[in-house]
């Protein structure tokens, strides 16, 4: 689970409701546009991975940390060349990682 968060956060997504873009959807779109040439396949895949991550973080009682990270990433996104950056969000990513580490401590995960 921890590696999924790290790979997802480094590359890039929460489902708010039908027809409404969530913070994670916006982040996937931003990264897709910046680093993947706007590939709809990549954006769709990102959104699917974000949904899976949302389920895993909810099961680990880390949903609030995931929400905080994507909210930050959505509001601070910048594109430099073909690199998506999220300045100021490192603390929220660390909070999420720490929560997941606590949740998996003592397990085989």
């Amino acid at each position: 689970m921890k590696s999924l968060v790290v790979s997802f956060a480094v590359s890039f997504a929460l489902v708010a409701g039908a027809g409404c873009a969530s913070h994670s959807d916006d982040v996937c779109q931003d990264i897709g546009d910046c680093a993947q040439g706007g590939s709809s396949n990549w954006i769709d895949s990102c959104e699917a991975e974000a949904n899976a991550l949302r389920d895993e973080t909810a099961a680990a009682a880390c949903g609030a940390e995931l929400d905080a990270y994507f909210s930050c990433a959505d509001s601070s996104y910048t594109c430099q060349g073909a690199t998506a950056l999220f300045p100021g969000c490192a603390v929220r990513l660390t909070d999420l990682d720490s929560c997941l580490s606590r949740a998996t401590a003592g397990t085989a995960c």
Side-chain angles (χ1 to χ4, degrees):
M1 184 172 7
K2 183 177 173 181
S3 63
L4 178 62
V5 170
V6 172
S7 65
F8 182 78
V10 169
S11 306
F12 20 34
L14 333 176
V15 174
C20 298
S22 65
H23 289 299
S24 60
D25 290 343
D26 290 343
V27 170
C28 285
Q29 183 70 50
D30 290 341
I31 295 169
D33 290 345
C34 179
Q36 301 297 321
S39 168
S40 59
N41 288 336
W42 189 93
I43 294 166
D44 291 344
S45 176
C46 172
E47 290 173 354
E49 286 186 47
N51 292 334
L53 180 60
R54 171 141 262 336
D55 292 343
E56 289 186 42
T57 58
C62 297
E65 289 83 354
L66 182 70
D67 291 344
Y69 173 73
F70 277 119
S71 178
C72 181
D74 187 16
S75 66
S76 70
Y77 162 78
T78 184
C79 182
Q80 292 183 358
T83 302
L85 301 171
F86 308 96
C89 297
V91 169
R92 290 190 176 80
L93 181 57
T94 298
D95 291 346
L96 176 58
D97 187 46
S98 295
C99 182
L100 291 171
S101 292
R102 286 188 304 275
T104 59
T107 69
C109 298

